[in-house]
Structure formats: C-alpha cells, structure tokens
Amino acid sequence: MEFGTVKRSQWRSPSVLPGFGLALGATLVWLTLIILIPLSGLAVRTSSLGWAKFWAIASDERTLKALQVSFGTAFVAALINVVFGVLLAWVLVRYRFPGRRIIDAVVDLPFALPTAVAGIALTTLYAPNGWIGAPLASLGLKVAFTPVGIVLALVFVGLPFVVRTVQPVMEEIDREVEETSATLGANRFQTIAHVLLPGLLPAVLTGFALAFARGVGEYGSVIFIAGNLPYVSEIAPLLIVIRLEEFNYPGATAIAAIMLILSFAMLLVINLIQAWSRRRYGYGT
Amino acid sequence: MEVRVQNIVKQFERFPALKDVSLDIRSGELIALLGPSGSGKTTLLRLIAGLESPTAGQIFFGDEDASLKTVQERNIGFVFQHYALFRHMTVLDNISFGLRIRKADRRPAKADIRARAMELIDLVQLSGMEKRYPAQLSGGQRQRVALARAMAVEPNVLLLDEPFGALDAQVRKELRRWLRDIHNRTGHTTVFVTHDQEEALELADRVVVMSQGKIEQAGTPDEIYDAPNSPFVFSFIGQSNILPVRVESGQIWLEDRPIGVESAGTADGTANLHFRPHDIGLQDGCGGCLAGIVTTSRRVAGKRHVELDIGQQHARVEIELPADHPATEGSRVAFRPTRFKLFQA
C-alpha cells in the first residue's frame, strides 16, 4: 500500500495554469455546435448523392469554371493585398504624419461596410459609364462585369486582413536589427529585402491566408460587379445560390463540399508552412 | 585604424547628450567608455558608428573625415547588447551577411566568403554550429555570433555597446577574458561601452570615464584608479569614503582634531577627503588619527569589511582589514589613510 501518493492519469501533469480539461471541453462543444455540425450536414447531404452523381456535378463544365473563377480571383486579389497591405502597414507603423489615425481607422471600413454596398459602389465607379470606368473604357479596358471586377471587389474586402495581421508584427521589429544591417554595409533596399521582409513572412502568410479565404467565400460585393456570366465571371458561391433557387439541393451541396475541401486543404498547407517557419526561426516563442 | 573625435556636440531636442567631447583613439587600442546611464557614452559610440549625426564637431578615421560618410560607407563593426541577430538566418549566413551583400565588384568569391565565415566561427569557438539558428543558441553564443558578424567585414573600428550587459555573471567573466584574447590576436581598434567599472578596468588598455555628456578623465586603468582627477571619478571607480575636512597649516583636520596626515600642497580651507577602504594603516594609540566604533564587521572572502561610526553626523566609514583581525561590533579601531585625495569642497 502506498501512502500519500496521488495517482494521476498520464494526461494530467501538474500545472500552474489549471482548467485545461474545462477549457478544452468548452472549446470542443462550441466548435462542434458552430462549425462541425453544419459542415457534417453538408457531408451527409453530399454523400447521399452517390459517387457517380457527385462526380457528374463536380466535373460539370460550369461548376469547374465557377470554381476556377472563385479560387483564381481570390488568389490574385490576396496577392495584390499582400503587396499593398504590407506597404500600407509599413507607412502606418513607420511614419508619423497628420491624418495617420484616420487612415488607420479607414483600413477597417471594409470589415464594417455591408459588402453589397461596397459592390454597388465599386460597380458604379468602374462601370463603362462610371467616373473611373469611362476613362478606362476609352483606353479599351473593361473592369466591371469581368473577372478583373471580381478581383477589385475581393481586394477591397480582403485588405484589412493583411494590414491587421502584419501591422503588430512590424511594430515589434527591433530597430537594432536594421541598424546592424546598415553598419554591415547594407543599403535600405537590401535591409528591407534580406532582413525585414523575411522576418515578416509568417505574418504575411497569415494575412494572405485570411484574405484568400475571405475572397473565396465572398458573395455580396462580387455579384454586383461580376456581371455573373456563366463560364466567364460566375463565382462558385453564386452558382450554389442558383442551384438552390432551382431546388437542386444535391447540386448545391456538392459544389459547397468541393469548395470546402479545396479551402481546407489550402489553409492547412499555409498553416503548416507557418508552423514550420515559426519553429525554425523561433518567432512567437 | 586611428579614430579622432573632435569637439563633438550632440543635442537631442532640448537635451544636450554630449558637450564638446574630444578623444583620440590609437590604432589597435582597446578602449572603454565608462559612465553611469545618461552620461552620453552610448551616444558617443553611435556617433562614431554614424548611427547618429553630430550637432557640431567632426570624427576622423585616420586622416579622412568620417562625419561626411554614411553608416554604410564607414565600414565599422557594431555589436549591440541584445545581439540583434537576423533570426531567419543560420549562424553562417549571419556572419557572412556583410560580405554577401557587397556590390559585385567588391564581393569576394562565394567560396572565399564561406571560408572567411568558417574561419571566424572557429575564432569565436562555435565550430559545428554554423547551421544553427539564433533561437537555438545560448546568450553567450549569440553574442559571439554578433561579434564574428561584425568582424567579418574587416571593420576600421569595432564598436561594442554594453556587449556583456545581458549575460549572467559567469558567462560575462568568461567572455571578457575571451574578448581580450581575440583582441590580442586580431588587433582591431575596439571601443566598448560599459557601466561596469570592473569590466572596464580589467579589459581596456585605456578607460574613458564619462559623466553628464563630458569626459571626466581618460587614462590607463592604473591611472584612473590610482590618480582620479575629480571627485566623480574617485567615487565612481571602486569603493571610496568621503569626509568633509579642513586644511590648516599643512595638516588635515576632522572637526577639531588633526588626523595625523599631511596635506601636501593643498591650500588652506575646507575640502573633501577621499580614500579607499583598503588604503589605510591601523594605529595603536591615537595621537592624531581617525577612530571609530565598529558597527558591522563582515568577512568577505580573504578580507574583513568593517564599518565604523566615527561620531558626529558623518556617514559611516568603510575600511578593509585582514580577515583574521579581531574587530567585533562595539570595539574601537583607529587608523590613518595611507593614500588619499583632497578635492575642494
């Protein structure tokens, strides 16, 4: 018989942060209610289709084109957002100028604005008879009612994601690291390219992933500016809605399932890259 | 390379950080800028590096006016207290950075860069760690990488800003000895900033004591310790006692008694007597001496540290005695300072 020893399960190690069991339990219940049950409903619906029918819908020309438009435009928009989002974050973090606070606040507007409003505003501006659209049209460039218009709308809604993920990391850049780079003979451009940007990479990736994910799922702003031409500027979320309106529920869920799988796979890859770079360079430790 | 600092003035907003500072640093010298925080020592170092620009004055590297050059053009090596390593680069990439980014016409061949970096890794005793990332190194190892990185560009002058400040005492001591060794082998002109007087005295060829934006005294560690030229230097370097005394007809008086010490060449009047705890001689009787009651007596390593209450309102006097001296609390001890300095009050 042993006295005074408390038997602990191997999963429980003494900790100064108690409540792990409770916290994890609550988290899992919440995650299940909010995300997993609705998504598994999607899986169940889709699986009732049968493989042959599912494949028929998935390989349908219109579905493929819609997915291509959605993921393609979201990808391009996220790339553009990375470039200008990092630049914007840099200006906000590094320089002090009158109106900085206002610009800082303006960045968040796409979060708050109803996306339909954004879509309508952009369409009005970029339509062939709009303020910006008309001069562009005279140059032979068409923005609204083409995939370019979709990219424009997605850039608008995705911008804050990049700025807000990169900004705090940028604020913590050690001045001394830049100074060291300069003392070693690096000019400004070299310091930015070789020293600063690689350090921002994990944050930039996160911002990219968020903007991309948002772009893939965006509906409200896009449908106004896209023109919604099947095979050309019809996005997958719109196609889902169209199928629903036709009471073709299996068709809608099948497209949704494909989007889900693709998105999850891409986000997982991005997350893995991030985890790898964090571990390696010791960020966030 | 020789570095000449000439009448440098640096003003931050309204705050004068340096007031007309001049300093000659000889080629190959290891020099310490020592002072309390706010004395301007780091500002002086950053001015030499070109990380700040002077409000007035000039800095020469050899015969060239470096004040006209940018940081990049000065070709210096700078090491920060917190290492400032590039976290996304391996040890090897960190060290070779300065060579890799050079313009093609001044850049050594790839193999040469690698060889030079490996040589430095060897010199700083990090062999076998060239593929590690900074996150995988200890503080002392990181600082050695930072030093190797600074030396890779063959700098005109090596500038170290509190290089051991973030390390614990043991590692500090070890790195100090090691830095001295590296300096002897490579012969780079080196300036380092420290607020640790022991570090300055142990490591430097010459110590520059700074206070409130001015150089108080510059000299060898012995000169600084044995012949401090101001009350500030005397009390900043090492332990010291200060007593307000009176000089009268060649004798030093505390209150109404002579303390048995002659005031060689000091004008009559009030003055402050500075002396170090170990620069005293015990007296048996007390014809003319300092005497007091022991308030605390502690054995510290090979010495006995004794605090004396010498009466009146005077601060306690601390003296060092042999470890076996039988001074107990409440007993009376009489002594005379054997080496001392008088400064006008």
Side-chain angles (χ1 to χ4, degrees):
Chain A
M1 200 56 187
E2 283 177 85
F3 294 98
T5 53
V6 182
K7 249 197 143 178
R8 288 179 181 279
S9 98
Q10 63 183 77
W11 300 105
R12 284 187 67 176
S13 53
S15 164
V16 287
L17 297 172
F20 172 69
L22 183 64
L24 185 68
T27 308
L28 286 181
V29 168
W30 188 247
L31 209 63
T32 309
L33 277 175
I34 299 293
I35 299 182
L36 292 181
I37 292 180
L39 290 187
S40 59
L42 190 67
V44 170
R45 268 286 194 158
T46 313
S47 64
S48 71
L49 259 178
W51 184 247
K53 267 193 171 167
F54 175 78
W55 187 248
I57 295 171
S59 58
D60 175 50
E61 179 72 18
R62 191 167 170 191
T63 313
L64 285 179
K65 277 288 177 198
L67 288 171
Q68 203 185 336
V69 170
S70 270
F71 281 90
T73 51
F75 188 82
V76 173
L79 277 185
I80 294 172
N81 270 330
V82 160
V83 175
F84 289 97
V86 170
L87 192 65
L88 186 50
W90 180 261
V91 170
L92 288 175
V93 169
R94 280 314 172 92
Y95 305 105
R96 295 290 170 265
F97 52 90
R100 191 180 69 94
R101 295 262 160 232
I102 295 171
I103 292 183
D104 204 16
V106 165
V107 169
D108 285 331
L109 277 184
F111 277 146
L113 206 64
T115 49
V117 175
I120 293 167
L122 287 172
T123 311
T124 315
L125 278 176
Y126 285 90
N129 55 357
W131 283 1
I132 303 175
L136 286 177
S138 66
L139 293 170
L141 296 171
K142 204 164 168 238
V143 175
F145 316 128
T146 68
V148 180
I150 303 178
V151 170
L152 188 69
L154 296 185
V155 166
F156 178 85
V157 295
L159 181 69
F161 291 94
V162 178
V163 177
R164 291 298 178 233
T165 47
V166 173
Q167 203 175 3
V169 181
M170 216 176 245
E171 259 157 17
E172 273 174 31
I173 290 179
D174 195 353
R175 254 217 110 75
E176 294 181 350
V177 169
E178 277 173 74
E179 289 181 338
T180 302
S181 173
T183 62
L184 291 169
N187 60 35
R188 210 50 208 145
F189 174 76
Q190 286 171 317
T191 299
I192 291 171
H194 298 298
V195 175
L196 297 181
L197 286 184
L200 289 175
L201 203 61
V204 170
L205 265 177
T206 308
F208 176 84
L210 290 173
F212 174 73
R214 176 69 207 270
V216 168
E218 176 61 16
Y219 176 77
S221 61
V222 174
I223 53 167
F224 291 100
I225 201 169
N228 306 326
L229 220 59
Y231 304 103
V232 178
S233 59
E234 185 179 59
I235 54 168
L238 179 66
L239 190 58
I240 294 172
V241 173
I242 290 172
R243 292 291 180 246
L244 285 175
E245 283 170 347
E246 295 166 348
F247 302 106
N248 182 358
Y249 297 132
T253 45
I255 302 169
I258 297 167
M259 285 192 76
L260 191 67
I261 293 164
L262 283 176
S263 301
F264 184 74
M266 298 185 82
L267 292 178
L268 188 67
V269 168
I270 291 172
N271 260 315
L272 288 178
I273 296 175
Q274 271 178 298
W276 170 80
S277 70
R278 281 226 164 83
R279 209 171 36 248
R280 186 162 193 194
Y281 307 143
Y283 290 106
T285 53
Chain B
M1 183 167 292
E2 236 169 68
V3 175
R4 214 144 37 90
V5 175
Q6 229 171 52
N7 306 100
I8 285 282
V9 176
K10 178 66 183 176
Q11 194 95 11
F12 286 118
E13 307 277 312
R14 304 274 260 330
F15 170 74
L18 289 175
K19 306 164 189 163
D20 193 20
V21 166
S22 296
L23 177 66
D24 281 356
I25 300 165
R26 292 187 278 272
S27 190
E29 201 170 29
L30 179 56
I31 204 163
L33 303 180
L34 176 66
S37 49
S39 57
K41 54 194 194 302
T42 296
T43 305
L44 180 56
L45 196 75
R46 291 173 62 86
L47 279 161
I48 297 174
L51 291 169
E52 308 278 355
S53 51
T55 309
Q58 284 167 303
I59 291 167
F60 290 90
F61 284 8
D63 294 324
E64 268 183 298
D65 187 352
S67 354
L68 304 171
K69 291 182 171 180
T70 63
V71 209
Q72 285 92 347
E73 292 164 341
R74 288 193 196 189
N75 194 36
I76 49 108
F78 202 102
V79 174
F80 287 96
Q81 180 177 1
H82 295 287
Y83 334 124
L85 294 179
F86 306 136
R87 293 196 285 182
H88 59 282
M89 292 184 203
T90 60
V91 168
L92 183 71
D93 288 342
N94 260 288
I95 294 174
S96 59
F97 181 81
L99 296 172
R100 281 189 289 125
I101 53 152
R102 280 191 183 164
K103 286 213 184 78
D105 56 325
R106 282 181 57 237
R107 187 171 55 221
K110 251 196 176 135
D112 293 343
I113 292 179
R114 197 189 148 79
R116 167 96 183 116
M118 293 304 279
E119 191 183 301
L120 281 162
I121 288 172
D122 231 26
L123 182 72
V124 300
Q125 295 160 2
L126 289 173
S127 310
M129 298 201 183
E130 67 270 12
K131 290 208 181 87
R132 296 231 192 146
Y133 286 88
Q136 300 166 304
L137 301 176
S138 72
Q141 291 170 333
R142 288 183 205 182
Q143 198 54 295
R144 284 185 272 161
V145 174
L147 191 70
R149 179 176 62 181
M151 290 194 296
V153 295
E154 288 294 342
N156 289 326
V157 53
L158 204 50
L159 305 166
L160 318 175
D161 188 7
E162 305 244 9
F164 311 131
L167 303 169
D168 60 53
Q170 197 70 33
V171 182
R172 234 176 143 126
K173 200 144 196 169
E174 198 184 301
L175 275 192
R176 230 187 256 168
R177 199 170 320 129
W178 169 85
L179 178 65
R180 180 75 238 182
D181 191 46
I182 294 243
H183 179 262
N184 289 345
R185 271 161 60 192
T186 58
H188 285 300
T189 308
T190 306
V191 184
F192 74 99
V193 159
T194 180
H195 61 260
D196 181 345
Q197 33 137 329
E198 200 184 306
E199 193 166 289
L201 295 177
E202 192 179 312
L203 202 52
D205 296 325
R206 238 166 14 120
V207 177
V208 176
V209 184
M210 297 185 66
S211 163
Q212 297 182 345
K214 278 194 203 135
I215 292 180
E216 289 279 338
Q217 189 174 1
T220 63
D222 284 353
E223 282 165 16
I224 296 282
Y225 193 83
D226 294 335
N229 65 3
S230 71
F232 173 81
V233 177
F234 204 112
S235 47
F236 189 71
I237 307 283
Q239 297 280 330
S240 65
N241 294 300
I242 305 170
L243 289 175
V245 294
R246 202 155 35 82
V247 177
E248 230 174 80
S249 53
Q251 282 285 322
I252 299 175
W253 297 65
L254 180 70
E255 308 293 337
D256 52 355
R257 283 174 296 136
I259 63 169
V261 178
E262 284 177 19
S263 66
T266 310
D268 284 6
T270 57
N272 280 324
L273 174 73
H274 291 239
F275 65 96
R276 301 202 187 280
H278 53 82
D279 285 337
I280 55 123
L282 287 174
Q283 301 292 122
D284 282 336
C286 198
C289 65
L290 284 163
I293 309 293
V294 176
T295 56
T296 60
S297 167
R298 287 165 290 124
R299 159 89 189 271
V300 180
K303 294 270 179 201
R304 182 168 291 279
H305 290 194
V306 174
E307 262 180 41
L308 296 177
D309 179 359
I310 59 164
Q312 315 289 350
Q313 305 302 316
H314 297 304
R316 299 275 152 87
V317 169
E318 194 179 322
I319 58 173
E320 276 178 32
L321 299 176
D324 56 0
H325 190 274
T328 50
E329 277 172 35
S331 64
R332 194 179 156 81
V333 172
F335 68 95
R336 277 180 194 153
T338 48
R339 282 171 88 152
F340 61 89
K341 201 124 189 190
L342 284 169
F343 292 107
Q344 291 295 306

